[in-house]
Amino acid sequence: VVSQEATTRTPRPKRRKKMVVRRAAIVSTARTGLAKSYRGGFNATHGAVMLGEAIRAAVDRAKVVELGEIDDVFAGCAFPEGATGMNVGRNAALWAGCPSSTAGTTVNRFCASGLQGVASAAQHVVAGAADVAVGGGVESISLVQPVVAKTTVPEAKLMATWPALWMPMIETADVLAARFGVSREDCDRYGVESQRRIAAAQEADLFADEIVPVSTVMKQYDPKDKKARPTDLEYVVARDECNRPSTTYEGVAKLDPVRLQDDPTATVTAGNASQLSDGASACVVADADEAFKRGAPVLGLFKHYAVAGCDPDVMGIGPVFAVPKLLRQAGLTVDDIDLWEIKYVVSPFFFFFPISSCSKLL
């Protein structure tokens, strides 16, 4: 016999499982050397090869992670076309030896594409969509930029309203320098200091644990005969090739600005801007608890990430808006950060971004 009371009793709600907050650990990283575009060691190397080598080396350095455990690969690429097209993230994963069950995607945020790849991998892990992922970036200026330069198609409405979307980066740097009072001398002296720093780092062998040597075949051109067909040369890219340790301020100061004919006040020269380069880098990102349990050589935790937009004609000031946003989201201040790393392609961008300015925007 069942009483009426028993049949009408409200059922107890099920206990919810306690939510586990996952953390993303950077387990390992590897990169190729940076080779000079067009004339360097990677001038005939496919993007999938460069990134594939970096992925394979990063997984090997992780020690406790296998290629078959990688759920997804996020490859940042500013020009995901031609030799870095056809979803180079997935292609590089397969080239590295991952099984067909490993997925891959390619993301583009121009200069921040590689960082976006790492951030996407970390966010994927934190969200529980992957236990192990790879984030990184690849660029083949040598094989892709000549094609892109001939096939870029502006859109009429955007060209009328936001024409600077198609403005070359060098021009945006000259605009920034003129608008915010960055001098040519400041740019040149910073360019020379940058050359000094990387030369000292190379002399101290500080990049040895980052770079994986890559054997390839480069196209060697005869500088005295531009019409001569290039020859194939077996080559190993084992270091960064783009810097010039002998650079002096006196030498750089003599260089004409790239846009001198269009703008007599232009500041950007070959001496205060980075060289066009080919190369790739990859990070293995995993669930932190599992990584520590396995005894992985964890390099650090990926904690927060933020992006912010600005007017495209001064795109180099983006960090001025993104960094304060990031600090607010993380509940931190400028003083809470022990080490800042800021990377820019041309000197005027750097001079507009003193870290102290962030505190004024918080």
Side-chain angles (χ1 to χ4, degrees):
V1 178
V2 179
S3 68
Q4 183 67 23
E5 181 182 0
T7 59
T8 59
R9 185 179 298 166
T10 303
R12 281 186 182 178
K14 293 182 179 179
R15 290 185 179 180
R16 292 183 180 180
K17 293 183 178 179
K18 186 177 181 181
M19 183 178 292
V20 177
V21 179
R22 288 165 59 104
R23 300 174 299 164
I26 297 176
V27 175
S28 63
T29 184
R31 69 176 180 92
T32 69
L34 291 177
K36 294 181 180 179
S37 298
Y38 308 118
R39 296 179 293 120
F42 287 139
N43 67 353
T45 304
H46 197 282
V49 176
M50 292 187 288
L51 183 55
E53 290 277 15
I55 292 172
R56 189 163 60 183
V59 172
D60 184 60
R61 292 173 181 180
K63 298 181 180 179
V64 295
V65 175
E66 303 291 336
L67 285 166
E69 294 183 273
I70 299 173
D71 294 304
D72 210 348
V73 172
F74 296 83
C77 185
F79 291 102
E81 304 158 52
T84 49
M86 298 297 293
N87 192 0
V88 70
R90 160 75 168 175
N91 294 345
L94 296 177
W95 195 97
C98 294
S100 60
S101 56
T102 299
T105 188
T106 304
V107 296
N108 180 2
R109 203 185 283 279
F110 279 144
C111 296
S113 296
L115 178 57
Q116 181 62 59
V118 177
S120 295
Q123 291 163 345
H124 220 52
V125 169
V126 170
D131 293 322
V132 182
V134 168
V138 61
E139 217 68 56
S140 174
I141 299 295
S142 297
L143 297 179
V144 178
Q145 189 152 298
V147 178
V148 171
K150 298 176 182 178
T151 57
T152 299
V153 181
E155 193 279 325
K157 178 182 176 180
L158 286 172
M159 181 58 79
T161 53
W162 296 99
L165 288 171
W166 285 272
M167 182 182 288
M169 189 182 303
I170 289 176
E171 187 174 353
T172 69
D174 283 335
V175 169
L176 187 152
R179 189 173 299 175
F180 300 107
V182 179
S183 72
R184 164 67 188 273
E185 181 179 350
D186 284 340
C187 293
D188 285 349
R189 291 197 180 280
Y190 181 72
V192 173
E193 175 62 13
S194 180
Q195 291 280 4
R196 186 197 67 77
R197 289 174 178 175
I198 188 173
Q202 287 179 325
E203 183 68 24
D205 211 21
L206 297 183
F207 301 130
D209 60 345
E210 297 179 6
I211 297 175
V212 52
V214 177
S215 298
T216 187
V217 175
M218 68 176 288
K219 295 292 183 182
Q220 190 173 43
Y221 294 87
D222 185 349
K224 298 180 181 179
D225 186 358
K226 295 184 178 180
K227 294 182 180 180
R229 297 185 64 178
T231 57
D232 290 341
L233 175 68
E234 292 186 358
Y235 192 83
V236 178
V237 178
R239 66 191 302 274
D240 295 324
E241 304 176 342
C242 302
N243 57 304
R244 297 186 178 186
S246 61
T247 301
T248 64
Y249 172 74
E250 291 73 22
V252 169
K254 295 176 182 178
L255 298 174
D256 287 335
V258 177
R259 300 181 54 255
L260 181 61
Q261 293 184 350
D262 298 323
D263 181 3
T265 66
T267 59
V268 179
T269 74
N272 60 36
S274 67
Q275 174 145 354
L276 295 175
S277 308
D278 304 324
S281 181
C283 293
V284 174
V285 183
D287 172 61
D289 290 344
E290 182 63 23
F292 286 123
K293 184 189 298 183
R294 295 190 187 188
V298 174
L299 301 175
L301 301 179
F302 193 101
K303 303 295 288 289
H304 295 281
Y305 181 69
V307 296
C310 62
D311 288 346
D313 63 340
V314 286
M315 44 76 67
I317 69 173
V320 172
F321 306 105
V323 170
K325 182 178 178 180
L326 175 65
L327 292 174
R328 285 196 300 270
Q329 291 176 350
L332 300 171
T333 68
V334 171
D335 295 334
D336 292 323
I337 309 301
D338 294 322
L339 177 65
W340 293 85
E341 181 177 350
I342 306 171
K343 293 190 176 181
Y344 277 124
V345 176
V346 283
S347 293
F349 293 167
F350 175 82
F351 282 99
F352 186 76
F353 187 65
I355 292 298
S356 59
S357 67
C358 289
S359 59
K360 300 176 183 177
L361 299 174
L362 290 173

